[in-house]
Amino acid sequence: MLPSVSVLFVEDSGVEKNRILEALKKHFTIEIHALAATTDEFHELLTGRHWDMVVTEEYLSKTDAFEILDIINASGREIPVFVFSAYSDVRGAVECVRRGAADFRTKDDIIGLMDSVKTLLSRKKVLKENAEEYEKELLIDIIEESRDFIFLIDEKTLKFRYVNRAVIEKTGYSFGELRNMTPVDLVRNLSAEVLRERLSGVADGEQDRIVLFTEIISKTGEIHQSEATVQLVYRKNESLFYARLEDLSEKIRTHENAMRMMQVVEYSTSGIFVTEKDGTITYANPKLHRQTGFSEKDIIGSNINVIKSVLDDSGEYERIWSTVLSGRRWAGRTKSKTRDGGEIEVLSFVSPIRNSKGEITNLAFFDEDATLANEMKMQLIHAQKMETLGELAGGIAHDFNNVLTAVGGFAGVISRKLKDRKDVSYLADKLVELAESGRSLTQGLLGYSRKQEQEFRIIDADRTVRKVTDIISLVFPEDIVIDVETECGGARIRAIESQIEQILLNLANNARDAMPDGGLLTVSASKSLSGKSVLIRIGDTGTGMPADVLANIFKPFFTTKSEGKGTGLGLAIVKDLMDSHGAKIFCESVLGQGTVFTLEFPLIDIDEISFAAATADSLVKLSGSVVVIDDDPGVREGIETMLSEFGYRAVCFDGYPSMYNKLEYLGEVSIAVIDMVLADSGSVMAAEALLEKYGNLPIIYMTGYDDESLRGKGIITEGKAIIKKPVFAHSLLKAMAEAMQEKSVSDR
Ligand code: ADP
Ligand code: MG
């Protein structure tokens, strides 16, 4: 059997390789062979496997035998290198042998080459049995595969003589590029002088090694923070710096993550503690100390039964432990002891903690205060009950409304028929009146039971106040006199109307509760003195509040009322809603005299006419018409009027189907204004149909929803021109001007 060898060729074309390979096959089994044409390819192939020999041409277009020999020498490998040349180049041959080449032959001397390969490899075979050789190769492989950066640096020129694979991968430079670089090119803020200065200790032999903090900059500008250890080494009569850099970036990141996690645990609102598998407590967060009153000294190092009472006697302890040690989470109610000898009920979540090998080493307890959780649950049940009741009431109100309509109608007929009998017709008129007020009451109820729209609109402050006080006056006890003054003169605010109603009702209910024996309720809406805001006031002549109550009224669950009467949520919700309106709430109260709540909303300036006049000369000129699609006839009409006032022609449709049917008759169109949320995703189809016919037609979308609700509906807003409803002339004109501007840019 022929001995087997692996051969690495370095050559441009591969022609010589095949010739030599054929010759080699007569004497050896070729285990593996490969061809490199550049320094980088050679370096890549060289690392990571064993080669018995390298056969290289003397001069190649991208590298040469001298460089190949340098790389092998620098890498510490002892691979015989056979150089073949097109010429009998004596000086080249001497240089190659000086650099450790095994032989130098001209191309026509294949027989000579074979002879020296045979003699050398048979000698090597003996060496191969030598364990030292294998160990050395192993070490070289370890260096190659190391995640650390390893450099051999020429002591004189400071050029990199050798780098391992990690350097190439992490810096993004090729081996060839790196061989022409020095540390100055790779390390941030480093000059040659400083480098020399830093290395002088090891260069002079005064220091065995030095350790430096460096920042390596990759080709793409990425920074690797690393710790470099530099030593001086000798190889074949020359001295080199050997530098090993440990990349710290990952370590730093891991550390930062751990720090962040630690903060989450420290500031958590759950009481968290960690135990060993035997129940010894090793960590507790500040919240746990607060929850139980135990200090660190009291519990760290103690057994879990110091803080968990129920766990000693019931089978709970075993259950938790067996669940968690089998890798699952446990959740349930447990009781925690407190330092003063009491007990608190908590919801516990217990998770296994694993080490890097995946073994469960600890248990982590997350204790939620169950008393608070209980309270929240009660509130939820209450809210849910109210909602159900509301739905029911809504259903009844509807039918009741019809009944009242009929009653009123019949009573009206009676009144007319008995016109002459004043005594009876008077009663019938009273019936009509009562049925009417009954109707507005149920109408109000209907309004509340319906799922309320959550849209911000521009609303008339006076009107909303009137609406609420109308309902209040129907349902409040008679001994409460209601005085309403609305004098905003049509001033508008930006608000979600149903929420303003909810706010006013909450405040009115509190006022009623504060006047159990009757009194005066004043509700007013007016402009502030500065004229910049709208003030709504609700005042009562009730009990008033002492300072310690007044300080807490907006806190959730704060109530002075008996159970079942108050939830303590009313004012908390009011405050929340006011905040979301960007509005302010104040409360003044005098004990024994009464209370006044003041709501302050920014006034919306909608002097449209003057705005339009100011922008009129910057109006865009459109040669075609404006297509308007909206399913609300009011909106269509409003926009049509607006557009015609400014000299545009509008063509309106109530949806995609009607627009599609007319599409082929539509003449020139310059722009489209489409409601973003048409039924059956009509807006998308309408836009597509228009774009298909009119190419790059500017489209403006109208919507009353905020971005989040749109996203919730799966509607994409990015890259679209959007105006908010209600649509005002100035915003529409501005959007049109911008859309046309954009089109003219993209047309160019
Ligand atoms: P609830 O009405 O359920 O008690 P609220 O948040 O609406 O909850 O009110 C919290 C507390 O503020 C009330 O319990 C009461 O003590 C006080 N309060 C609110 N409004 C008034 C008022 N107009 N007059 C007197 N006290 C009031
Ligand atoms: Mg209340």
Side-chain angles (χ1 to χ4, degrees):
M1 222 186 98
L2 299 172
S4 74
V5 291
S6 50
V7 194
L8 178 52
F9 291 93
V10 187
E11 195 216 328
D12 276 334
S13 63
V15 177
E16 292 311 322
K17 181 198 86 175
N18 289 336
R19 229 157 54 87
I20 298 169
L21 209 55
E22 285 316 308
L24 278 171
K25 278 183 183 162
K26 296 197 183 104
H27 310 280
F28 302 97
T29 307
I30 307 294
E31 188 182 305
I32 186 163
H33 63 88
L35 178 69
T38 68
T39 321
D40 288 334
E41 279 171 20
F42 178 73
H43 180 257
E44 176 81 41
L45 286 166
L46 181 69
T47 55
R49 70 157 293 124
H50 168 86
W51 296 103
D52 289 308
M53 58 193 283
V54 169
V55 183
T56 174
E57 190 164 345
E58 186 182 10
Y59 294 106
L60 291 90
S61 58
K62 299 237 173 61
T63 182
D64 54 44
F66 313 110
E67 206 169 26
I68 297 300
L69 283 161
D70 280 349
I71 294 171
I72 292 178
N73 289 334
S75 83
R77 287 178 174 79
E78 286 186 13
I79 310 173
V81 178
F82 299 91
V83 185
F84 62 92
S85 176
Y87 337 93
S88 54
D89 167 17
V90 180
R91 281 179 54 189
V94 170
E95 189 54 40
C96 283
V97 174
R98 205 181 64 78
R99 290 183 194 223
D103 199 2
F104 184 100
R105 299 277 168 168
T106 52
K107 282 186 178 176
D108 47 25
D109 190 9
I110 284 261
I111 298 172
L113 183 66
M114 283 308 119
D115 280 345
S116 73
V117 168
K118 274 192 293 184
T119 18
L120 206 111
L121 285 193
S122 62
R123 211 172 346 121
K124 279 233 72 154
K125 275 276 163 310
V126 182
L127 268 177
K128 232 180 162 181
E129 258 104 70
N130 188 340
E132 227 174 83
E133 181 73 8
Y134 269 120
E135 239 156 59
K136 195 167 156 195
E137 274 198 11
L138 183 69
L139 280 177
I140 292 167
D141 280 349
I142 289 171
I143 289 174
E144 270 307 325
E145 300 300 328
S146 160
R147 288 161 62 86
D148 292 340
F149 295 163
I150 291 172
F151 299 91
L152 278 179
I153 303 163
D154 192 300
E155 197 210 349
K156 296 196 183 65
T157 63
L158 292 181
K159 277 196 183 170
F160 296 129
R161 289 284 292 279
Y162 189 76
V163 299
N164 72 341
R165 203 193 289 249
V167 177
I168 295 171
E169 278 168 8
K170 292 238 180 96
T171 64
Y173 290 107
S174 69
F175 186 75
E177 282 172 321
L178 284 160
R179 271 177 62 85
N180 286 313
M181 291 164 66
T182 72
V184 175
D185 307 312
L186 209 58
V187 177
R188 188 146 94 154
N189 293 336
L190 185 71
S191 67
E193 296 78 65
V194 173
L195 180 62
R196 288 250 179 239
E197 159 79 41
R198 295 239 178 109
L199 295 179
S200 61
V202 270
D204 303 344
E206 276 168 24
Q207 278 168 289
D208 201 18
R209 63 181 64 200
I210 50 162
V211 179
L212 305 164
F213 178 77
T214 56
E215 292 183 315
I216 299 277
I217 308 179
S218 78
K219 199 171 183 177
T220 53
E222 225 176 286
I223 291 178
H224 296 272
Q225 293 171 319
S226 44
E227 192 182 76
T229 312
V230 188
Q231 282 170 274
L232 198 62
V233 294
Y234 299 96
R235 277 190 60 76
K236 296 186 181 160
N237 304 329
E238 51 175 352
S239 42
L240 300 162
F241 289 115
Y242 163 79
R244 189 177 59 79
L245 275 68
E246 192 184 350
D247 194 343
L248 297 178
S249 314
E250 230 159 88
K251 268 198 190 160
I252 290 170
R253 243 194 322 272
T254 320
H255 181 71
E256 277 172 0
N257 276 341
M259 289 302 287
R260 255 197 299 278
M261 283 308 298
M262 205 53 214
Q263 286 186 16
V264 171
V265 171
E266 290 273 316
Y267 294 124
S268 166
T269 52
S270 309
I272 301 175
F273 66 95
V274 175
T275 73
E276 302 277 339
K277 282 199 285 190
D278 67 2
T280 309
I281 299 169
T282 55
Y283 170 81
N285 77 341
K287 172 70 186 183
L288 192 92
H289 294 307
R290 265 180 275 132
Q291 226 171 40
T292 60
F294 287 118
S295 72
E296 203 159 296
K297 263 213 317 292
D298 299 329
I299 45 180
I300 304 297
S302 311
N303 188 274
I304 184 167
N305 56 31
V306 173
I307 46 172
K308 288 284 173 198
S309 51
V310 72
L311 295 184
D312 345 303
D313 41 50
S314 74
E316 207 71 327
Y317 185 91
E318 273 82 50
R319 266 202 295 284
I320 296 178
W321 247 250
S322 64
T323 309
V324 176
L325 291 186
S326 72
R328 283 171 294 140
R329 274 168 55 109
W330 184 92
R333 259 167 214 281
T334 61
K335 287 206 177 87
S336 285
K337 291 182 193 168
T338 57
R339 189 158 200 244
D340 52 24
E343 252 183 14
I344 53 165
E345 201 177 311
V346 290
L347 284 175
S348 294
F349 300 90
V350 192
S351 294
I353 300 182
R354 296 169 193 274
N355 65 10
S356 55
K357 287 185 220 142
E359 300 155 350
I360 295 171
T361 54
N362 296 81
L363 291 84
F365 282 73
F366 300 78
D367 282 358
E368 273 326 316
D369 201 326
T371 39
L372 188 69
N374 265 341
E375 206 165 317
M376 300 285 269
K377 199 166 116 195
M378 294 312 293
Q379 294 301 337
L380 251 177
I381 290 172
H382 182 71
Q384 163 77 48
K385 190 170 76 193
M386 295 306 284
E387 199 183 308
T388 325
L389 268 178
E391 261 170 46
L392 255 178
I396 295 170
H398 193 80
D399 295 338
F400 195 56
N401 213 21
N402 293 340
V403 173
L404 285 173
T405 311
V407 170
F410 291 137
V413 175
I414 295 173
S415 160
R416 269 198 306 284
K417 289 216 164 158
L418 300 179
K419 252 203 300 291
D420 308 334
R421 291 198 47 195
K422 280 279 174 258
D423 55 334
V424 187
S425 72
Y426 161 78
L427 291 175
D429 284 344
K430 262 273 166 268
L431 259 181
V432 174
E433 221 174 88
L434 281 172
E436 220 16 75
S437 55
R439 259 164 53 86
S440 49
L441 176 61
T442 47
Q443 210 68 57
L445 276 180
L446 263 177
Y448 289 104
S449 63
R450 230 180 283 132
K451 274 260 173 292
Q452 300 287 358
E453 289 165 83
Q454 300 288 306
E455 280 183 45
F456 272 97
R457 292 181 189 280
I458 307 297
I459 62 170
D460 182 330
D462 284 346
R463 242 200 67 213
T464 308
V465 168
R466 284 267 168 214
K467 217 168 126 186
V468 174
T469 48
D470 280 352
I471 295 172
I472 291 171
S473 56
L474 283 168
V475 295
F476 269 29
E478 256 165 31
D479 57 2
I480 293 180
V481 177
I482 302 172
D483 179 27
V484 185
E485 276 174 31
T486 45
E487 44 205 28
C488 286
R492 314 287 170 102
I493 57 175
R494 193 168 170 276
I496 298 173
E497 191 170 23
S498 63
Q499 293 188 351
I500 301 301
E501 291 169 6
Q502 194 178 349
I503 290 169
L504 297 179
L505 278 176
N506 263 320
L507 295 175
N509 280 337
N510 282 347
R512 183 200 52 208
D513 292 348
M515 300 187 287
D517 304 321
L520 177 66
L521 176 74
T522 38
V523 185
S524 70
S526 60
K527 277 197 209 175
S528 68
L529 282 179
S530 69
K532 291 218 172 86
S533 46
V534 165
L535 302 175
I536 299 179
R537 286 207 168 85
I538 298 203
D540 64 63
T541 55
T543 56
M545 291 172 254
D548 59 327
V549 171
L550 190 59
N552 290 305
I553 52 173
F554 294 115
K555 291 195 179 140
F557 307 122
F558 175 81
T559 181
T560 56
K561 295 170 193 171
S562 57
E563 209 179 308
K565 275 217 87 179
T567 60
L569 279 175
L571 289 179
I573 290 172
V574 165
K575 178 76 175 72
D576 194 59
L577 294 178
M578 288 300 285
D579 287 348
S580 69
H581 276 78
K584 293 186 201 125
I585 180 164
F586 312 98
C587 176
E588 295 150 82
S589 187
V590 179
L591 195 58
Q593 293 192 19
T595 306
V596 180
F597 280 92
T598 305
L599 313 175
E600 184 179 347
F601 294 90
L603 189 115
I604 299 287
D605 188 10
I606 49 152
D607 192 353
E608 283 182 57
I609 313 297
S610 59
F611 192 96
T615 52
D617 34 8
S618 59
L619 286 182
V620 276
K621 299 255 177 305
L622 300 183
S623 47
S625 53
V626 182
V627 166
V628 179
I629 311 180
D630 195 297
D631 44 12
D632 185 334
V635 172
R636 285 200 303 276
E637 206 179 287
I639 293 180
E640 187 169 21
T641 322
M642 241 181 251
L643 288 172
S644 71
E645 235 175 80
F646 293 102
Y648 298 111
R649 195 156 23 84
V651 189
C652 300
F653 300 102
D654 62 1
Y656 168 66
S658 59
M659 194 267 319
Y660 187 74
N661 291 336
K662 295 274 165 55
L663 191 57
E664 60 177 305
Y665 308 111
L666 275 182
E668 191 183 351
V669 172
S670 299
I671 199 162
V673 183
I674 305 178
D675 184 3
M676 196 156 218
V677 190
L678 287 171
D680 299 322
S681 62
S683 355
V684 178
M685 291 190 286
E688 273 170 9
L690 284 168
L691 287 174
E692 196 179 326
K693 176 159 181 199
Y694 293 106
N696 133 41
L697 178 78
I699 296 181
I700 295 166
Y701 291 92
M702 303 178 279
T703 180
Y705 296 96
D706 56 32
D707 289 359
E708 200 154 289
S709 341
L710 287 174
R711 237 172 287 132
K713 290 175 188 295
I715 291 170
I716 301 152
T717 53
E718 272 87 317
K720 289 183 176 159
I722 295 173
I723 51 175
K724 290 270 182 244
K725 280 183 174 178
V727 174
F728 294 120
H730 60 86
S731 54
L732 178 61
L733 296 177
K734 189 159 156 265
M736 282 168 55
E738 280 168 1
M740 292 308 289
Q741 168 87 28
E742 211 164 281
K743 176 180 151 68
S744 75
V745 170
S746 74
D747 280 354
R748 238 178 278 147

